[in-house]
Amino acid sequence: MRSALLICLAFWLIIDLAPTGAAGAPVAVAVPTGGLTDWGHTPFYAQTGWAGAHRDGRNSDFVPFVVPAANQVAWTALDGLAILPAPVLGPEGQLYAVSGGGPGTRHLHAFDRAGNLLWQSEPELSPADLDSLAALSSPTLDRQGNIYLGDGNQFWSFAPDGTVRWVADLPEAGVPMASSIITPQGLVGGITLNGKVVLFDRADGSLAGPVLDLPGGPGQPATGLPPGLWAGGLMDPAIIPMVHDVLFGFGFEVINTPAAHPQSGRLYITATGATPAEGVLYGLSLVGGALAIDFAAPMGGGSGTSPAVSFDGARVYAADGLGVMRAFDAATGAEIWAAGGAGLATSPTVGPDETVYTGSDELLALDPTTGAVLWGQAFDDLAADFLPALPPDTPYVATGLPVGRPDGVVTASADRVLVVVVLGYDLVLPPNGATMLWPGLTGLAAVDPEDGALQGFTLLQDTNEGVISADPDGSVALGHAAVLSSIVYYGLNPILPPELQLPGPPAGGFSVLAPASQRAQAAEGAGWARELAVSAESALPDGDLAAAFTAVRRGRVQLEATARTIPVAVAQGELDPATAAAARYRVRQGYIGLLQARAVLAQPAPSLPALLWADARLQGAIAALDAALALLAP
């Protein structure tokens, strides 16, 4: 069988690898990198597990490594504060989180991976300090580990040790950005809530070009704050109205994080159109330092969700204010398909096979080319496992049956999909019959990307309403925005019957989860890398060097993480030192094999001997990982 493979490979190389030009000279066959590194980031981003609001410049919310189905809460921090964005992960090993406690408090916090506080920004004592509206903006990290973050008036850059590198004014005082991005050209910045597109030089904060003012108008006015929202010190009372309007899509032109096309450099953002009933997806170009609108594609009303760019760069996805997910041609803005059932405040997630994930009442997986529903996963049965059915005449309860609902943005990984789920009951509230979800319990669900089957569920201390960040070592971090829990505890508890009163105040803060078994995590990572090596080797006879290149890149990143996970399994008593040393050696052999194959596949036109050598390296990597899996098996 091996000889047949080599004959097939050699035949393909002779026929297809060296096409000729008009004069019969060989023409190079290049493997496209997609403008991305092995980590899946554009080169200016920090090469780390989660470097920005939606992980990368494309807003994919995809991590190219395995995450565990079985987790346990390792530690929490900033309890008592509503944490909206997920913590981001620095290349030096630090976690960065933002809060909005108000004047006199600090709003940017750095922790090590064990949960120890390393440093914080200076307290807010004057308008010149980092203010509480920093709570809206996820930090963005560059390759040097520098941190970029906006507040209500300014845009900041911090060094990894907390030193302020520079501060720049935003176009309008009191009008922040929802979040920031690093462009493929290496500039940093974003779009303010009033639609001002502003980019800065990362070195000194100087304005990189003229500010572009998008032509839309403000969104639909808010009808009023829900009672009790972020009371009890969870958030600075002065900013609660603005933060509420941003989270729920009221009153502003732009409330989302822009996405960038890694090849063309085009920026995409959703926004309110000329009226609140209109929505727009803008495509923006950056030429010679000047921004221009390439297209304005119509969407349903409101400012919609953050857009996401597909892996192949052909499509841009975004949901509008009507819960319709749309796919657009990334080059022209033409609509390709539309599908209902999307989350109103949750941006699309792009899985490794281009599957698009979203969800409102249930988690949906959509076909990337047609928008057809591949599967839907409801969580009502999960809720029934934890909560009793209530009598249907219980005050304010619609049916008394437990329900489970997705609560935030989905994270896709190499092997499963993560989503926070709230388990509770549907409330119907006076005087106008408004409905909301009563949050009895909240947990992190891990589901199978093939069919949505539940694989694991870990209880959390509070609701999420945000993003889940993940690290190659299998740890997961997420903020607790405490939207539902604060409304019920501070606003509704006095009118609810005893069985529906939340027993204690919202916890807030953020949680970091670790694999329940580090040995199992190491084995799963080695197994995934082996699958990637097999798929790379299988792609060679078909002439699909691009697929082989993608596989070895992802496998290399995975094995880096697996090599770090094995010593943790020793420290936790799951592996003896001798077995761990032997397993780590085999993982290292697999890593070297993939790295060597990668070097060949990255060449413009690999020769036949080079590809045969790469095939041998892949065989060696597979054998080494087989040996590692035998050692890591429980």
Side-chain angles (χ1 to χ4, degrees):
M1 184 173 179
R2 171 58 49 195
S3 60
L5 172 62
L6 295 179
I7 291 171
C8 181
L9 176 60
F11 178 78
W12 167 75
L13 287 165
I14 293 169
I15 299 299
D16 292 325
L17 184 60
T20 58
V27 177
V29 178
V31 174
T33 65
L36 304 172
T37 67
D38 291 0
W39 282 86
H41 292 295
T42 48
F44 293 109
Y45 268 90
Q47 305 302 298
T48 185
W50 207 273
H54 294 282
R55 185 183 184 260
D56 50 39
R58 295 185 305 108
N59 287 349
S60 72
D61 291 293
F62 164 71
V63 288
F65 38 79
V66 301
V67 298
N71 296 281
Q72 56 191 357
V73 177
W75 52 274
T76 67
L78 303 179
D79 291 355
L81 293 169
I83 305 300
L84 278 61
V88 295
L89 308 169
E92 71 296 305
Q94 296 175 185
L95 288 84
Y96 301 101
V98 290
S99 63
T105 65
R106 304 166 189 266
H107 305 305
L108 173 62
H109 318 268
F111 298 83
D112 67 19
R113 296 298 172 93
N116 300 304
L117 180 64
L118 300 176
W119 56 263
Q120 303 180 89
S121 59
E122 291 299 315
E124 180 189 352
L125 301 177
S126 76
D129 299 314
L130 185 71
D131 65 49
S132 56
L133 279 171
L136 273 174
S137 182
S138 172
T140 300
L141 309 177
D142 71 12
R143 193 153 193 157
Q144 291 71 43
N146 298 315
I147 306 142
Y148 302 93
L149 176 68
D151 67 4
N153 306 294
Q154 301 161 116
F155 194 75
W156 297 71
S157 177
F158 294 85
D161 64 359
T163 304
V164 175
R165 298 177 65 235
W166 50 261
V167 185
D169 290 335
L170 292 177
E172 301 170 283
V175 184
M177 298 176 183
S179 212
S180 57
I181 188 175
I182 300 174
T183 74
Q185 298 87 356
L187 304 175
V188 68
I191 306 173
T192 71
L193 303 183
N194 284 351
K196 304 293 193 298
V197 188
V198 56
L199 298 174
F200 302 98
D201 188 295
R202 287 185 301 121
D204 58 13
S206 59
L207 200 62
V211 174
L212 174 66
D213 190 0
L214 299 177
Q220 188 72 34
T223 55
L225 290 176
L229 178 65
W230 294 313
L234 287 164
M235 188 176 291
D236 177 6
I239 70 169
I240 288 176
M242 176 179 283
V243 176
H244 164 265
D245 290 356
V246 170
L247 256 62
F248 289 92
F250 295 116
F252 294 107
E253 185 176 354
V254 174
I255 62 169
N256 296 306
T257 306
H261 197 291
Q263 290 88 37
S264 69
R266 174 175 284 157
L267 302 180
Y268 304 92
I269 189 62
T270 51
T272 303
T275 71
E278 300 171 299
V280 180
L281 173 74
Y282 290 106
L284 309 175
S285 62
L286 178 64
V287 180
L291 288 156
I293 298 174
D294 294 330
F295 63 74
M299 299 175 62
S303 51
T305 69
S306 298
V309 180
S310 65
F311 282 102
D312 62 11
R315 295 171 299 280
V316 180
Y317 309 106
D320 60 28
L322 303 177
V324 177
M325 181 68 69
R326 301 176 189 272
F328 300 88
D329 186 288
T332 66
E335 185 176 299
I336 300 172
W337 54 257
L344 297 179
T346 56
S347 58
T349 296
V350 184
D353 59 354
E354 300 279 11
T355 298
V356 180
Y357 298 97
T358 184
S360 179
D361 290 340
E362 61 180 349
L363 177 62
L364 297 177
L366 305 179
D367 184 284
T369 58
T370 67
V373 175
L374 301 175
W375 53 257
Q377 174 60 269
F379 296 98
D380 292 352
D381 289 344
L382 177 64
D385 290 339
F386 285 86
L387 299 172
L390 299 177
D393 58 351
T394 302
Y396 309 122
V397 173
T399 66
L401 297 177
V403 296
R405 302 279 165 72
D407 179 44
V409 179
V410 175
T411 287
S413 76
D415 58 344
R416 53 183 50 94
V417 174
L418 300 179
V419 61
V420 174
V421 177
V422 173
L423 310 178
Y425 306 95
D426 285 325
L427 297 183
V428 180
L429 301 171
N432 57 2
T435 60
M436 69 167 290
L437 176 63
W438 178 83
L441 295 169
T442 300
L444 179 66
V447 306
D448 189 329
E450 294 296 322
D451 57 9
L454 185 68
Q455 296 178 330
F457 188 69
T458 306
L459 289 174
L460 302 169
Q461 69 180 20
D462 208 337
T463 56
N464 169 235
E465 295 102 3
V467 174
I468 307 159
S469 63
D471 196 50
D473 66 2
S475 62
V476 172
L478 51 89
H480 299 292
V483 173
L484 291 173
S485 58
S486 64
I487 294 171
V488 172
Y489 183 79
Y490 292 110
L492 300 181
N493 257 10
I495 69 168
L496 294 175
E499 59 267 37
L500 288 176
Q501 292 177 6
L502 292 185
F510 73 87
S511 295
V512 174
L513 285 66
S517 168
Q518 294 288 347
R519 182 172 189 166
Q521 176 68 13
E524 191 165 358
W528 169 246
R530 184 192 183 280
E531 289 182 32
L532 290 168
V534 169
S535 67
E537 195 193 13
S538 300
L540 291 181
D542 297 329
D544 195 349
L545 296 190
F549 187 54
T550 297
V552 297
R553 295 169 93 190
R554 289 179 175 171
R556 184 190 74 79
V557 171
Q558 178 61 64
L559 290 182
E560 280 185 355
T562 301
R564 295 196 300 269
T565 302
I566 292 172
V568 182
V570 175
Q572 295 187 353
E574 295 185 79
L575 279 174
D576 65 81
T579 301
R584 200 174 188 195
Y585 172 73
R586 296 299 187 183
V587 166
R588 179 65 178 169
Q589 284 184 309
Y591 173 86
I592 292 172
L594 291 181
L595 194 63
Q596 291 171 330
R598 182 198 184 285
V600 171
L601 294 169
Q603 296 173 12
S607 65
L608 170 58
L611 281 169
L612 293 175
W613 185 81
D615 181 75
R617 302 287 76 73
L618 290 172
Q619 294 177 50
I622 294 166
L625 294 174
D626 282 336
L629 287 167
L631 293 162
L632 293 170

